[in-house]
Amino acid sequence: MKNYIGILGSCATGKSTRLNLFVDYLDTVAQVPYQNHDYTFVKGDKTITIKNAGRAYANGVYIVGNKTKAGNWVGADYTFGKLGDKASIYGFLEATTETHNTFIVEGYFAVGGGFLRPDALAPMFDTVSQYYFLYDNLQQYVERTEGRTGKTWVERGKDAEKSAGWKSNQSFTSGMKKAIAGCRSADKIVKVDYTKNKYFFVNEFKDFI
């Protein structure tokens, strides 16, 4: 059975932090062996290699991305960003799932498109799960982003409501509704409470370990 798991949503909601904690669990608690995977593909007349495109675990789990020198996790914004287009991303999905049953990807810019929703991925995957990290209102967004930056939007001379981050939150909210509409019975769309349980994915993904 092939499983696609997408982790997506608004900025500063803890997506990569929670996935990073799941990676740490795989490495230090479950102690599942893995290899850093370099991916080579052809685009036009060029052969391109993406170093550390993902981690290929011995238990059949493939996680897109890698750890930075600072220990943070960078996922689709790195790997999918380098792939660059739908055809190349689909080629990557097909190549990695030839050897791994569960494909996990987290990102902000690169994973919210219609071609990565359940109805579009149905031909490639038996199950598609998407975990959305969203703000319910503008005030939540303001409080969270100001907490991250240490400065108010007024101090920064910017309008939170007109910011790219808030507009993307609205876009992700619309995308989640479309994803739900395109689900099969085995698919799953989850809105995650970003304020609670930073070990959410450790508990949620235990069946794949």
Side-chain angles (χ1 to χ4, degrees):
M1 178 177 285
K2 301 291 184 182
N3 310 293
Y4 173 94
I5 297 172
I7 301 165
L8 63 164
S10 300
C11 59
T13 49
K15 302 181 299 297
S16 61
T17 298
R18 285 168 173 79
L19 181 58
N20 203 15
L21 288 168
F22 175 66
V23 170
D24 289 344
Y25 180 87
L26 285 175
D27 296 348
T28 62
V29 179
Q31 297 184 340
V32 180
Y34 71 88
Q35 291 183 331
N36 289 316
H37 173 232
D38 298 338
Y39 178 67
T40 300
F41 66 108
V42 176
K43 179 177 286 192
D45 59 354
K46 294 183 179 180
T47 298
I48 302 169
T49 296
I50 302 175
K51 301 290 290 184
N52 296 320
R55 282 193 180 186
Y57 282 89
N59 62 351
V61 171
Y62 187 96
I63 303 180
V64 175
N66 59 80
K67 277 186 182 286
T68 66
K69 290 181 179 179
N72 302 317
W73 190 260
V74 56
D77 295 342
Y78 168 75
T79 302
F80 283 13
K82 290 185 177 296
L83 289 165
D85 57 49
K86 173 183 172 180
S88 298
I89 291 172
Y90 272 10
F92 178 68
L93 289 172
E94 290 168 355
T96 52
T97 55
E98 284 180 1
T99 54
H100 289 73
N101 293 327
T102 299
F103 183 95
I104 302 176
V105 59
E106 173 274 330
Y108 175 60
F109 295 107
V111 295
F115 70 98
L116 292 173
R117 292 188 189 124
D119 52 353
L121 292 174
M124 282 187 278
F125 293 92
D126 299 295
T127 69
V128 176
S129 300
Q130 289 188 315
Y131 295 85
Y132 282 82
F133 287 72
L134 303 170
Y135 300 105
D136 292 327
N137 53 62
L138 181 61
Q139 186 58 34
Q140 286 184 342
Y141 171 71
V142 168
E143 290 174 356
R144 181 75 168 181
T145 51
E146 288 183 347
R148 285 287 187 95
T149 63
K151 291 185 178 181
T152 67
W153 283 91
V154 172
E155 288 171 334
R156 293 160 62 190
K158 296 181 179 181
D159 185 344
E161 192 168 7
K162 295 179 180 179
S163 68
W166 177 246
K167 289 178 180 178
S168 73
N169 186 79
Q170 294 171 303
S171 178
F172 279 122
T173 301
S174 174
M176 183 177 71
K177 293 176 182 177
K178 293 175 182 177
I180 292 171
C183 278
R184 299 162 294 180
S185 60
D187 296 332
K188 180 165 64 172
I189 306 297
V190 178
K191 182 176 180 292
V192 181
D193 185 347
Y194 69 88
T195 66
K196 298 179 181 178
N197 190 8
K198 63 182 181 178
Y199 295 99
F200 176 82
F201 290 131
V202 173
N203 298 320
E204 186 75 3
F205 297 159
K206 277 190 174 179
D207 288 345
F208 297 117
I209 298 173

